[in-house]
Amino acid sequence: MIDSFLDFMLGDLRKITDLYIRHQLVFNSIVVGAALLKLIISKKETDFRVNEEGVQGESIESLRHSRFKV
């Protein structure tokens, strides 16, 4: 009885859910990989911007911490 309600309410989404459940490891790996790639790219861009500004004598970590001080 619950399956018939779900089929009626979700319609074609039920097929997509079944596909996701069967290949959950692949989909989750893609999402985690994309998030890690985004973090790595944004970190490299931040490091490049700091080096491009010609800041010398300070580490990147100290510059990051100084941004968030109030």
Side-chain angles (χ1 to χ4, degrees):
M1 183 168 169
I2 292 175
D3 277 337
S4 62
F5 283 131
L6 287 174
D7 286 337
F8 175 72
M9 290 186 288
L10 296 177
D12 289 337
L13 290 177
R14 189 75 182 233
K15 295 174 188 171
I16 294 171
T17 303
D18 290 338
L19 176 72
Y20 172 73
I21 295 297
R22 282 194 308 252
H23 303 290
Q24 192 171 7
L25 181 65
V26 174
F27 287 124
N28 289 346
S29 298
I30 291 170
V31 170
V32 169
L36 288 175
L37 185 64
K38 174 73 174 153
L39 285 173
I40 291 170
I41 288 173
S42 67
K43 181 180 178 336
K44 285 184 180 180
E45 286 177 358
T46 302
D47 293 347
F48 180 72
R49 272 189 254 132
V50 169
N51 290 337
E52 195 174 63
E53 292 171 1
V55 177
Q56 296 177 355
E58 292 188 60
S59 69
I60 293 171
E61 286 299 317
S62 66
L63 290 172
R64 283 189 187 138
H65 292 299
S66 66
R67 278 190 221 160
F68 298 112
K69 289 182 183 175
V70 179

